[in-house]
Amino acid sequence: MRVVADPFPHTLRSDARDNRERILDAARALFSADGLDVPMREVARRAGVGPATLYRRFPTKQMLVAEAFADQLHECRAIVDEGCADPDPWRGLCLVIERICELHARDRGFTQAFLSTYPGVKDVAAGREYTVKAVAELARRAKEAGRLRSDFVLDDLILVLMANKGIHATSTVGQVKASRRFAGLVIQAFEACPRHAPLPPPARLTSAPAHDLSR
Amino acid sequence: MRVVADPFPHTLRSDARDNRERILDAARALFSADGLDVPMREVARRAGVGPATLYRRFPTKQMLVAEAFADQLHECRAIVDEGCADPDPWRGLCLVIERICELHARDRGFTQAFLSTYPGVKDVAAGREYTVKAVAELARRAKEAGRLRSDFVLDDLILVLMANKGIHATSTVGQVKASRRFAGLVIQAFEACPRHAPLPPPARLTSAPAHDLSR
DNA sequence: ACCGTAACGGACGCCCCCGTCCGCTTGGGT
DNA sequence: ACCCAAGCGGACGGGGGCGTCCGTTACGGT
C-alpha cells in the first residue's frame, strides 16, 4: 500500500484528474450524509469508478477524509476567526458555538473527523488545534468581561461538541433545528449568572489517548 | 427463525437454564461496555457456549437486548418514580436528569436500546413510554412551580439524552464525571431565570404525538 | 442403570467489505 | 496516424459476521 497521497494532482492525466474530482464529490456527499463509516466501494460506485481507481488516488481512507473535509476545515477556521474578531468576546463566543454546532449538524462525517483524531489526518488535527487555541483565548476574554461563567473550562466545549454529535434527527433540517436549540441551551448554561449554583467538577476529555473520541 | 422468545425459562433443563443465565450475563457485560454493536458470536464466546445455543435461546438480537436490559429499565422506572415522589417537582426533575444521565453514562448499550426504538423490543419501548409520560407530568408541575423555564418542551429532554449519548470518555469513571458535568450544565439551562433570553424554537424529535406541556 | 430426548456446539454456506493484481483502454506527445 | 505509458476496472483471495443444520453429549425420569 502506498502511504503518501498523490502530492501532485496537477500532473495527472486529464481523465485521472476528472475522476479524482468525482471521487471527492462523492466522498463529500456520502460522508456528510452518512458519516465516515461509508464503505470505500460505495464512494467508488457513486463516483462511477472502479475500486482500484479510488485506492490508487487515495490509498487510505484517512487521506480521502482529509481531502474531502478541507472545505469544512476552512469554514471552521473562518467561523472562529470571525468570532475572535468580534469586539464583544461573549457575543463572539456565542457565535462560534452556534455556528460550529450548525456546521457539525449539517455534516455528520465532519463531526467524526473533527473529533476522532483519525490517525494520520494531520490536517484535521492541526485545524482542531488551531480552533481550540483560538477559542481558548476568546473564552479567556469573555470570562474577563464577566459574561462567561468563571468555572467554565475549555473541556466544556469539547463536551458540547461531543454532545452535539449525539443529536440525531431524521432530516438535515430537523438536525439543524435540534442543534440550534441545543446550542441555545448550552449558551445560557455558560452565561455568567449570580443565580447559578457551582457546576460539578469539570471532566478531562482532551488528554485522551487521542485515538478515537468519535464513537 | 423462531420469532417468539422462549416464554418458559423455568421449564428448561438445568444445563440449559444455566447457559441462558451465562448468556445474559455476558450480554449485559458486553452491551454495557461496548454498546449494542457487539457481534452475537462475541456474546456466545464470552458466555462459553456455541453460537447455536445462543440463537436457540434468543433467536433475534432484539430479544437478547430486551431481556438483558430488563434491570436497567426497572432502575429507570425507579428513578422516575422517585423523582415524581419528591414534593419539590423541580428538585425531582433535577434528580431524574442527573440519575438518568449517569445511568446512560455507565451503560452504553442501554442508551442505544432506550433511544433507538430497536424494532420489536416492545418492553424497552413501553419502558420509554412510561418514563416519558411520568417526566412530562413532573415537568408540568415544575413549570407550575415557576422553577422550570416556561419554554421548556419535553423534546428537550430527548435532546439531552441524545446529547448525553454523544459524550464519550476512555474510562467509565471519566464518562460518568463528564455526564455529571453535562447534566449540571443542562439543569442550569433549564432553570427559569429572568435573565434568560428566549430559546431557539424547539425541535421535534419524537414521532410520537407531542405530549402537551403547555398548559 | 438405562434410555429417550432436550440441549449442545462445530462446521457450513451466505453475504459484504477489504486491498491488490493484471489485462485492456485511452490520453496526449511526436 | 502512431505509439506507449498512464490510467482504468473487473476479478480475486482473505477475513469476519450472519443464521442454520446435524451428529454428539448428557440430563433426568423410570
Side-chain angles (χ1 to χ4, degrees):
Chain A
M1 176 199 288
R2 288 187 58 199
V3 181
V4 184
D6 199 323
F8 305 114
H10 54 282
T11 66
L12 290 176
R13 227 169 65 178
S14 67
D15 54 344
R17 214 176 327 113
D18 270 13
N19 280 334
R20 193 176 187 281
E21 278 316 307
R22 298 231 305 289
I23 288 171
L24 280 174
D25 285 345
R28 277 189 270 261
L30 289 173
F31 287 158
S32 295
D34 305 335
L36 301 185
D37 293 341
V38 175
M40 287 292 261
R41 291 188 128 72
E42 186 68 24
V43 177
R45 246 179 311 249
R46 169 128 181 184
V49 305
T53 301
L54 172 52
Y55 282 110
R56 193 175 311 114
R57 226 40 80 200
F58 305 96
T60 72
K61 198 172 207 169
Q62 289 85 5
M63 291 172 195
L64 179 57
V65 167
E67 200 96 15
F69 287 126
D71 290 359
Q72 277 88 335
L73 220 50
H74 195 267
E75 189 176 348
C76 208
R77 284 182 179 237
I79 288 172
V80 171
D81 289 341
E82 190 182 332
C84 288
D86 198 308
D88 178 348
W90 170 247
R91 203 174 57 186
L93 184 63
C94 290
L95 185 134
V96 167
I97 293 174
E98 284 163 1
R99 302 272 303 273
I100 298 275
C101 279
E102 171 156 353
L103 187 62
H104 283 243
R106 283 195 194 286
D107 195 324
R108 233 181 116 151
F110 181 57
T111 311
Q112 282 180 265
F114 193 80
L115 288 179
S116 73
T117 317
Y118 229 68
V121 191
K122 70 167 179 31
D123 292 341
V124 175
R128 190 183 44 234
E129 276 309 300
Y130 175 87
T131 305
V132 169
K133 279 232 173 72
V135 172
E137 173 60 14
L138 187 58
R140 197 194 54 72
R141 287 198 288 135
K143 235 187 245 188
E144 209 170 74
R147 301 295 310 278
L148 177 62
R149 57 188 307 155
S150 59
D151 55 358
F152 170 92
V153 288
L154 206 49
D155 277 309
D156 289 332
L157 221 54
I158 307 290
L159 200 67
V160 167
L161 241 50
M162 289 202 296
N164 187 60
K165 150 175 78 70
I167 297 170
H168 289 292
T170 45
S171 68
T172 304
V173 293
Q175 178 95 352
V176 170
K177 274 187 191 168
S179 267
R180 201 168 284 158
R181 176 94 173 173
F182 179 69
L185 278 171
V186 161
I187 284 171
Q188 301 205 350
F190 282 161
E191 188 167 15
C193 172
R195 293 187 53 164
H196 278 166
L199 286 173
R204 303 271 311 106
L205 295 165
T206 47
S207 68
H211 255 58
D212 201 347
L213 294 173
S214 78
R215 358 204 83 198
Chain B
M1 179 198 286
R2 288 186 59 199
V3 180
V4 184
D6 198 324
F8 305 115
H10 54 284
T11 67
L12 290 176
R13 228 170 62 180
S14 67
D15 54 344
R17 213 174 332 110
D18 271 13
N19 279 336
R20 193 175 186 280
E21 278 315 307
R22 298 232 304 290
I23 289 170
L24 280 174
D25 285 346
R28 277 189 269 261
L30 289 173
F31 287 159
S32 295
D34 304 335
L36 300 185
D37 292 341
V38 176
M40 286 292 259
R41 289 187 131 69
E42 186 70 23
V43 177
R45 245 180 310 246
R46 169 129 182 184
V49 304
T53 300
L54 172 53
Y55 282 110
R56 192 174 311 112
R57 227 39 81 198
F58 304 96
T60 71
K61 197 172 207 169
Q62 290 84 6
M63 290 174 196
L64 180 56
V65 166
E67 200 97 14
F69 287 126
D71 291 359
Q72 277 88 335
L73 219 52
H74 196 267
E75 190 174 350
C76 209
R77 283 182 180 239
I79 289 172
V80 170
D81 289 340
E82 190 182 333
C84 288
D86 197 310
D88 178 348
W90 169 247
R91 202 174 59 185
L93 184 62
C94 291
L95 185 133
V96 167
I97 294 174
E98 285 162 1
R99 302 272 303 273
I100 298 273
C101 280
E102 171 156 352
L103 186 63
H104 283 246
R106 283 194 195 286
D107 196 322
R108 238 181 111 150
F110 180 57
T111 310
Q112 283 180 264
F114 193 80
L115 288 178
S116 73
T117 317
Y118 227 70
V121 192
K122 72 166 177 35
D123 292 341
V124 175
R128 189 181 44 232
E129 275 310 299
Y130 176 87
T131 306
V132 168
K133 278 231 173 74
V135 172
E137 172 60 14
L138 187 58
R140 196 195 54 73
R141 288 199 288 135
K143 236 187 239 187
E144 209 171 72
R147 301 295 308 278
L148 177 63
R149 56 188 308 156
S150 60
D151 54 357
F152 171 91
V153 178
L154 203 49
D155 277 310
D156 289 332
L157 221 54
I158 308 290
L159 200 67
V160 167
L161 242 49
M162 291 201 295
N164 187 59
K165 149 172 79 71
I167 297 171
H168 289 293
T170 47
S171 68
T172 305
V173 293
Q175 178 94 353
V176 170
K177 274 188 192 168
S179 266
R180 200 167 285 158
R181 175 97 173 171
F182 179 68
L185 278 170
V186 161
I187 285 172
Q188 302 205 351
F190 282 162
E191 189 166 16
C193 172
R195 292 187 53 164
H196 277 166
L199 287 173
R204 303 269 314 103
L205 295 164
T206 56
S207 49
H211 303 280
D212 194 352
L213 287 175
S214 60
R215 198 208 65 88

